[in-house]
Amino acid sequence: MDDLSPATLLSEPYGHADGSVTPPIYQTSLFTFDNYAAFADRMAGRDDRALYTRVQNPTVAAFEGMMAKLEGGEAAVGFASGMAAISSTLFALVKPGDRIACVEHVYPDAFRLLERMLRPIGVEVTYHAPRAFAEDPDLLKGVTLAYLESPTSAVFDAMDLRRVAAHARRHGTLTVIDNSWATPIFQRPLDLGIDVTLHSASKYISGHSDTVAGVVVSTAEIIAKLRDLTLPLLGGKLAPFEAWLLIRGLRTLPARMREHQRSADVFVDRLADRADVTRVNAPGANTVPGLIGRSGLMSFEVADSVDIPRFADALKHFRLGVSWGGFESLVLPCAIALDQAGPKNSMQTFGVSPRLIRISIGLEDVEDLWNDIQQALDDAHT
Ligand SMILES: *Cc1c(COP(=O)(O)O)cnc(C)c1O
């Protein structure tokens, strides 16, 4: 990251025309050429100027450049969603006959991708507890790719990524991590030896709950593979306007994460003090090596005396909904996810308590937020 801290890096203007501090939005599908020779040079690969927005766009490239620097990677590629980033990564790096070792309690649609699209074409998939990846040096023997989250979704179980990466290197296993929860402000997986870090940029990277997007950061070689294969052929490209929104979001990422952490720390202390809260899942700084902060997404279990629908309905500031990472605070009672219709999700498969409640602590005043949770819990006793 040169020698700049993230906050300085992210405020840098990019030398835009007339001194504009924000980049222009190249809202165009194609780029034209002045003459035959210039067009022919581009098509023959003798230069790499933008040709068509499905594969190249300067606004998207500006976002990708910022993400590569933040994560400490050689290159990055943006996608239309976190799931486009995940599926484009897996389809580029894995083929029928290969084995994927995935962490339990993985993001529900990543689980469905493995079960409904990769397993049916002959990719073998196994699931393991986070601890097993670090503690069993032979877990990755014969495994092509380890698909990781640290911490995991729903139960927020973290793993020692440095150890996992060392085991993986010995077995020739590629490691991919979904780093949406920590963001590069709190965890830089590539520094710990992980090969690929990716995000649902819909969450903290955007920070404003106004866009759905994804991004993958890795070596130049791996990103070139995605650019050669799954970006053009599956076509899940990041749109220029969305990239512009993400650049806008990134400017405040360090400041937002600091605030999320401050409020989350208050919540962890106070939740632990309540007799009707039986468990808090919220890893923070130094829970595992390389994790240096606590984001605002956590879960806690409530005692049987708490009527969960009544708790949810008594909330005044926290809103009910999926997603997270925005300015607004959210609650997701896991009983609702356990009841979800359709193909099995990862919560149903790996099992979470129906007493579990996930909260995303936003940027509102922490005392207002805590008072809200407190009055709703107090209100919900049977
Ligand atoms: C939301 C989410 C995703 C999926 O991202 P989309 O942008 O919604 O496609 C992937 N991983 C995690 C951890 C998420 O929370």
Side-chain angles (χ1 to χ4, degrees):
M1 202 188 291
D2 309 320
D3 51 357
L4 295 179
S5 76
T8 311
L9 172 83
L10 290 168
S11 77
E12 283 200 323
Y14 282 79
H16 308 304
D18 302 320
S20 165
V21 297
T22 63
I25 305 173
Y26 284 86
Q27 194 67 33
T28 181
S29 61
L30 76 149
F31 299 82
T32 57
F33 298 86
D34 287 343
N35 53 54
Y36 183 97
F39 196 4
D41 280 347
R42 174 61 186 84
M43 297 301 276
R46 287 187 285 271
D47 71 55
D48 62 354
R49 51 174 289 203
L51 173 73
Y52 188 54
T53 284
R54 169 148 50 81
V55 290
Q56 245 173 328
N57 178 285
T59 313
V60 174
F63 167 67
E64 292 165 341
M66 290 168 91
M67 282 304 305
K69 281 190 188 163
L70 263 187
E71 284 279 20
E74 289 173 358
V77 53
F79 286 98
S81 67
M83 281 312 301
I86 294 167
S87 56
S88 297
T89 299
L90 295 181
F91 278 106
L93 301 180
V94 168
K95 59 183 187 318
D98 285 349
R99 267 183 68 194
I100 294 178
C102 179
V103 70
E104 290 175 354
H105 292 289
V106 67
Y107 178 70
D109 276 339
F111 174 74
R112 293 195 184 100
L113 172 71
L114 295 170
E115 292 300 309
R116 304 186 68 204
M117 294 193 75
L118 285 156
R119 198 188 289 283
I121 60 166
V123 175
E124 199 188 323
V125 187
T126 56
Y127 298 92
H128 312 273
R131 188 161 296 116
F133 280 93
E135 288 176 4
D136 179 355
D138 290 325
L139 182 90
L140 296 177
K141 199 170 169 190
V143 171
T144 314
L145 185 146
Y147 187 80
L148 310 171
E149 288 179 10
S150 182
T152 57
S153 295
V155 295
F156 304 103
D157 219 347
M159 67 173 82
D160 181 341
L161 291 174
R162 204 189 294 275
R163 273 178 83 190
V164 177
H167 298 326
R169 222 169 296 121
R170 265 191 305 108
H171 293 296
T173 304
L174 273 173
T175 45
V176 176
I177 187 170
D178 181 334
N179 200 33
S180 307
W181 183 93
T183 82
I185 304 304
F186 289 157
Q187 175 170 273
R188 298 218 311 171
L190 303 179
D191 291 350
L192 304 172
I194 298 294
D195 296 308
V196 180
T197 174
L198 57 80
H199 290 265
S200 167
S202 323
K203 314 292 166 51
Y204 286 128
I205 300 297
S206 148
H208 291 73
S209 302
D210 53 9
T211 183
V212 171
V215 63
V216 182
V217 187
S218 184
T219 59
E221 188 187 344
I222 286 176
I223 296 302
K225 212 165 180 176
L226 269 61
R227 286 193 182 283
D228 175 54
L229 220 49
T230 42
L231 178 67
L233 304 185
L234 298 177
K237 68 109 182 74
L238 178 60
F241 179 60
E242 313 291 306
W244 187 89
L245 286 173
L246 295 172
I247 291 168
R248 188 276 312 263
L250 277 182
R251 308 280 195 200
T252 58
L253 181 69
R256 284 187 286 110
M257 295 314 292
R258 223 164 27 235
E259 186 66 15
H260 286 301
Q261 167 158 256
R262 214 187 326 262
S263 297
D265 286 348
V266 169
F267 263 67
V268 169
D269 285 348
R270 295 187 188 173
L271 282 170
D273 282 345
R274 281 195 68 107
D276 53 2
V277 172
T278 53
R279 185 187 170 85
V280 181
N281 304 311
N286 305 318
T287 303
V288 287
L291 181 63
I292 61 166
R294 167 180 285 141
S295 82
L297 188 72
M298 63 175 74
S299 63
F300 59 93
E301 280 178 34
V302 290
D304 290 340
S305 59
V306 176
D307 181 311
I308 293 175
R310 232 163 79 189
F311 160 74
D313 290 344
L315 291 165
K316 295 186 172 79
H317 299 301
F318 278 85
R319 281 165 269 192
L320 301 177
V322 296
S323 197
W324 49 273
F327 53 88
E328 77 291 1
S329 291
L330 294 165
V331 161
L332 171 64
C334 292
I336 289 177
L338 283 168
D339 229 15
Q340 189 178 23
K344 255 189 166 185
N345 66 36
S346 41
M347 280 198 220
Q348 293 161 333
T349 304
F350 301 113
V352 298
S353 165
R355 314 296 306 164
L356 189 66
I357 292 172
R358 190 186 80 175
I359 57 174
S360 174
I361 300 171
L363 298 173
E364 304 94 329
D365 182 86
V366 65
E367 296 302 333
D368 291 341
L369 293 176
W370 176 252
N371 288 339
D372 194 27
I373 289 285
Q374 188 155 250
Q375 65 81 22
L377 280 173
D378 289 345
D379 196 60
H381 283 272
T382 50

